Amino acid sequence: MKKLRNAIVKALGALLAALLCVYNTGAEMEWLRALPRELYVYDGATIESLLEPPGSIGFYKANDAEVSLSQSQTLSDVLGEGVVNAQIKLYGVLPVGGIQLTQRDHTVVMPGGLAVGIHIVTDGLLVVGFGQFETSDGYLSPAKLSGVKAGDVIVEADSVPLKTAAQLSEIVANSTADVELLIERGGRSMLIVARPLEDVMDGKRKLGLWIRDDTAGIGTLSMVDMTDNGYGALGHAVRDADTGAEIQLRSGVLLKASIMGVSKSVKGTPGEIKGSFSLNDDVIGSIRATNEFGIYGFLEEQWTNPLYPSGVELAYPEEARLGRAQILASVDDSGVAAYECRIVKVYRQSECAPRGMVIEVTDERLLDKTGGVVQGMSGSPLLQDGKLLGVVTHVLINEPAKGYCLYAYWMYKLIESSVSAAAMVG
């Protein structure tokens, strides 16, 4: 009897193991293994259309397991609060997993790709270097001796707010004693007392400073909000070429630019788009805000991308995948063109950060013209599956065919916040 009982137990165990093995390779488990933990859904979508679940699978609100979610019901109705944590049950009884459903909006934007001139008037005077001149005590730079450093921003001199280099020169030349400088350095403010000295060559009092009160360069328009002409461009901070210091904006304009040529990127040396523009005319927009992710403002007139005249849908960061994509860029005077590339690395992000993806240029036309990613292409839109997914920001110095991208969604949100704040203050 005992032997029979043991034989039955073994047989049942073997049968159960076989059933589990069969189930584990069945449609339900295959479906469950492929199920994402989070799903972002758009208006009109249903669980049925998005996930195509087997008939044995049911969905229930996680906080109330008695409430079943209809698989054919529009998720816009289910997601009234924006996010629902759903529990998944087999045959309505056995919990086998969960998923977070989040409502998404459809947003259509105008993709950029247009090369533009950027002119920024700095907020304060940026110190880019020092110049020694002959004094009664020898060749000296009084500013350097007083503790001023390259990259400092001089905001005031003797309590007078500074807008131009000529202003500071006049205050120093007319001084009869020390000059008190209000300096911004690394996000902190400090006072430095500097003693101007007389230049024996012309008798003028000087500090021996090289300073800059504006900067200019070439970049690329990234996207335009079609509702109010607010735009984002560049994808990274505007930095001084000599010191690397981030430029603080007082005012600025976006200008029509002409491409004169391109120096190609090679390993160890980034290339550059060479362009020209006039500061006196051809203004196409204002620069109202800057940050580490680009420049923002309003275009004076509506601009239409000739490749996508009706605009494109904005993609969300979680939609990024490895594989084929497209860059829109202006690298000659023929205007905006589309070039093939591929996304080779994706960094998953839940908040704005500079390095969202790595791309590699595969289009021989662009490689022949530029060698890959070059300075001036910063801000070029990245499209995947017909949606605006990213913005080119930096080249990989030792792999010039590759570059980093910022997620376009983050730039769009920054357009909304930066431009709205600028509009509120005029």
Side-chain angles (χ1 to χ4, degrees):
M1 190 67 162
K2 187 176 180 181
K3 287 183 179 180
L4 178 62
R5 188 167 57 249
N6 289 341
I8 292 172
V9 170
K10 285 181 180 179
L12 288 173
L15 179 62
L16 181 60
L19 289 172
L20 286 173
C21 186
V22 170
Y23 181 75
N24 195 46
T25 57
E28 287 92 349
M29 284 304 296
E30 210 172 291
W31 181 86
L32 282 168
R33 279 193 288 268
L35 188 70
R37 291 183 179 179
E38 298 178 319
L39 186 66
Y40 295 85
V41 299
Y42 295 97
D43 241 5
T46 65
I47 292 175
E48 200 171 50
S49 64
L50 287 169
L51 297 175
E52 299 180 349
S56 57
I57 294 291
F59 292 79
Y60 300 82
K61 281 192 177 182
N63 295 332
D64 187 352
E66 299 302 314
V67 178
S68 173
L69 300 178
S70 168
Q71 295 184 22
S72 58
Q73 183 181 7
T74 300
L75 282 167
S76 306
D77 298 330
V78 176
L79 298 170
E81 60 266 54
V83 178
V84 165
N85 290 306
Q87 190 176 52
I88 301 167
K89 289 186 177 183
L90 185 63
Y91 300 111
V93 177
L94 181 64
V96 289
I99 186 170
Q100 179 177 286
L101 304 170
T102 303
Q103 178 75 39
R104 287 299 203 196
D105 297 322
H106 283 286
T107 302
V108 176
V109 297
M110 183 61 65
L114 178 71
V116 291
I118 298 165
H119 179 235
I120 290 177
V121 177
T122 63
D123 189 15
L125 308 179
L126 178 66
V127 178
V128 297
F130 302 94
Q132 293 185 340
F133 57 90
E134 189 177 358
T135 73
S136 58
D137 294 323
Y139 284 89
L140 300 172
S141 168
K144 189 173 185 179
L145 291 172
S146 66
V148 177
K149 295 182 177 180
D152 285 349
V153 176
I154 307 176
V155 180
E156 295 179 0
D158 285 343
S159 300
V160 177
L162 297 173
K163 294 183 179 181
T164 66
Q167 230 185 328
L168 178 59
S169 295
E170 185 178 357
I171 291 171
V172 171
N174 294 333
S175 66
T176 57
D178 295 342
V179 174
E180 194 174 72
L181 304 176
L182 178 61
I183 301 283
E184 287 189 357
R185 179 186 298 166
R188 296 186 301 113
S189 296
M190 63 181 70
L191 286 173
I192 290 180
V193 177
R195 175 163 296 177
L197 296 175
E198 188 176 294
D199 187 336
V200 298
M201 297 296 292
D202 57 17
K204 291 184 178 179
R205 288 169 62 80
K206 300 177 180 178
L207 285 176
L209 279 171
W210 292 107
I211 54 179
R212 187 169 291 151
D213 55 19
D214 71 347
T215 190
I218 295 287
T220 300
L221 181 68
S222 302
M223 72 176 82
V224 182
D225 184 335
M226 296 160 67
T227 62
D228 61 7
N229 271 357
Y231 74 85
L234 208 57
H236 60 70
V238 180
R239 296 189 179 277
D240 178 69
D242 296 309
T243 65
E246 186 172 338
I247 299 295
Q248 301 303 312
L249 173 74
R250 179 183 295 276
S251 63
V253 290
L254 219 57
L255 300 138
K256 182 180 179 182
S258 297
I259 307 298
M260 311 302 291
V262 178
S263 61
K264 295 175 70 171
S265 281
V266 295
K267 186 175 181 179
T269 306
E272 181 181 9
I273 292 176
K274 298 176 181 178
S276 66
F277 52 87
S278 170
L279 300 181
N280 299 318
D281 49 28
D282 294 331
V283 173
I284 60 174
S286 61
I287 300 175
R288 305 294 292 275
T290 64
N291 58 38
E292 63 175 307
F293 304 109
I295 61 175
Y296 308 88
F298 293 99
L299 297 183
E300 294 198 343
E301 297 179 357
Q302 187 173 11
W303 179 78
T304 301
N305 187 312
L307 303 178
Y308 296 93
S310 299
V312 298
E313 191 171 325
L314 181 69
Y316 289 89
E318 61 276 358
E319 296 182 75
R321 58 177 177 79
L322 303 181
R324 293 181 60 184
Q326 189 181 63
I327 299 173
L328 306 184
S330 300
V331 295
D332 55 38
D333 265 347
S334 63
V336 182
Y339 300 98
E340 293 299 311
C341 68
R342 62 191 182 98
I343 299 172
V344 296
K345 192 169 184 62
V346 171
Y347 298 93
R348 295 302 175 190
Q349 298 173 346
S350 58
E351 60 183 23
C352 190
R355 295 179 180 180
M357 294 166 283
V358 177
I359 60 162
E360 182 176 16
V361 175
T362 57
D363 198 307
E364 291 298 330
R365 297 171 302 152
L366 188 57
L367 290 170
D368 286 342
K369 290 178 181 179
T370 66
V373 180
V374 296
Q375 296 176 59
M377 279 176 62
S378 296
S380 295
L382 176 76
L383 275 67
Q384 188 175 56
D385 299 327
K387 293 183 179 183
L388 179 57
L389 177 63
V391 172
V392 176
T393 60
H394 296 86
V395 61
L396 274 67
I397 300 297
N398 291 319
E399 296 181 86
K402 293 182 178 180
Y404 287 109
C405 288
L406 170 76
Y407 284 116
Y409 177 75
W410 303 140
M411 178 174 275
Y412 178 76
K413 300 305 287 184
L414 287 166
I415 292 172
E416 285 188 319
S417 59
S418 299
V419 170
S420 297
M424 287 178 65
V425 297

